Amino acid sequence: MDHLERITLEPDKRAGKPCIRGLRITVYDVLEYLASGMTEEEILADFPDLEPEDIRAVLAFAAARERRLVSIQAG
């Protein structure tokens, strides 16, 4: 499964921010947890609806977004 398929955008959920599999957990939330030093295991324990593939999807989404931003700015 393509990791990016796990990221959903719904205008009526979390103000349209990218979420994980339609849950109310945003990509930004998970990135913040990782940046604060939480391990993948700690995040999964705190949010039992999440799966390890969701965290990889968050990282893939952030990498793809960064790649697009760099491409736009370079052009």
Side-chain angles (χ1 to χ4, degrees):
M1 174 180 212
D2 180 9
H3 290 308
L4 295 180
E5 290 179 8
R6 290 179 168 264
I7 306 301
T8 57
L9 296 166
E10 299 176 47
D12 60 334
K13 191 174 285 177
R14 296 293 302 263
K17 294 178 183 169
C19 291
I20 301 166
R21 293 184 294 114
L23 302 170
R24 299 190 66 78
I25 303 168
T26 67
V27 167
Y28 179 82
D29 293 335
V30 175
L31 289 172
E32 281 285 303
Y33 301 140
L34 291 168
S36 75
M38 286 181 76
T39 65
E40 180 177 326
E41 293 77 18
E42 290 171 328
I43 295 169
L44 295 172
D46 283 354
F47 300 92
D49 289 335
L50 290 181
E51 302 170 354
E53 293 82 11
D54 296 327
I55 294 176
R56 284 188 282 285
V58 163
L59 295 172
F61 182 86
R65 178 177 271 184
E66 181 66 18
R67 194 175 311 106
R68 283 191 306 274
L69 288 175
V70 170
S71 296
I72 291 169
Q73 292 174 357

